[in-house]
Amino acid sequence: MLIESGSPVAADTRVEISLTINGEARTLQVAPWTTLLDLLRERLDLTGTKKGCDHGQCGACTVLVNGTRVNSCLALAVMKDGAEITTVEGLARMSGGNGLHPLQEAFVEHDAFQCGYCTPGQLCSAAGMLAEGHATTRDEIREAMSGNICRCGAYTNIVDAIEDVMQSGAQG
């Protein structure tokens, strides 16, 4: 690997970064090419975030970075230095309660998952979408969530769950 100056980077090179992950401040040493997804799953054991396609096409790895939806498989950890990361494990903390986030409750109530593999990415993406405030109709929810694929086809129930939370105003 070459750095900007054209000098090679040794395979054992590490960069210190600071992140707040699910409310916990962390200082970590990472290789410059480590993705946020690999850092979360392999180093921090936050395995709720899934590795689906590893190309940013399925949304299974979606997390919130400073409240914005991000495909963590496409984000280098070093580029997120100083950021606040929320994974599916930290969603409940967003709502201020000790139980489930309202979206998690709605997904259960509306049976918005089948195999569950895409569910963490769907939940994080939905939380980010609700915070954005742009989607107000079912069609707009579908469009805003189009980057998250559900191979089982639970889309109708996912939209039902998100719409229910949106209408209740309990967005976390």
Side-chain angles (χ1 to χ4, degrees):
M1 176 178 175
L2 298 178
I3 57 174
E4 195 171 309
S5 67
S7 302
V9 174
D12 62 350
T13 300
R14 296 290 180 262
V15 176
E16 183 173 291
I17 62 170
S18 296
L19 299 170
T20 301
I21 302 171
N22 297 329
E24 181 183 342
R26 306 286 301 258
T27 300
L28 304 152
Q29 299 284 327
V30 298
W33 49 84
T34 302
T35 65
L36 182 56
L37 173 61
D38 288 339
L39 174 66
L40 293 170
R41 289 186 56 80
E42 296 172 16
R43 291 270 311 278
L44 302 177
D45 204 28
L46 294 169
T47 57
T49 304
K50 302 300 183 208
K51 184 177 278 200
C53 66
D54 214 19
H55 296 289
Q57 297 176 344
C58 73
C61 67
T62 304
V63 297
L64 299 172
V65 177
N66 298 326
T68 301
R69 303 180 280 174
V70 170
N71 288 338
S72 62
C73 72
L74 297 179
L76 293 176
V78 295
M79 300 301 290
K80 302 305 174 191
D81 186 25
E84 184 174 328
I85 313 296
T86 303
T87 68
V88 69
E89 291 92 346
L91 269 185
R93 184 179 300 227
M94 288 176 61
S95 64
N98 294 328
L100 296 175
H101 185 280
L103 280 165
Q104 292 169 313
E105 290 175 355
F107 268 57
V108 170
E109 182 180 319
H110 290 277
D111 197 22
F113 50 87
Q114 289 180 28
C115 79
Y117 197 83
C118 73
T119 305
Q122 297 274 3
L123 286 164
C124 286
S125 188
M129 180 206 63
L130 290 173
E132 291 163 11
H134 300 301
T136 58
T137 67
R138 290 182 68 81
D139 285 341
E140 290 171 343
I141 292 170
R142 280 190 207 89
E143 178 63 27
M145 293 294 293
S146 65
N148 292 81
I149 296 172
C150 174
R151 289 167 180 86
C152 299
Y155 293 114
T156 300
N157 297 5
I158 291 167
V159 173
D160 289 346
I162 295 168
E163 186 177 41
D164 188 36
V165 172
M166 183 185 305
Q167 290 175 349
S168 75
Q171 299 171 19

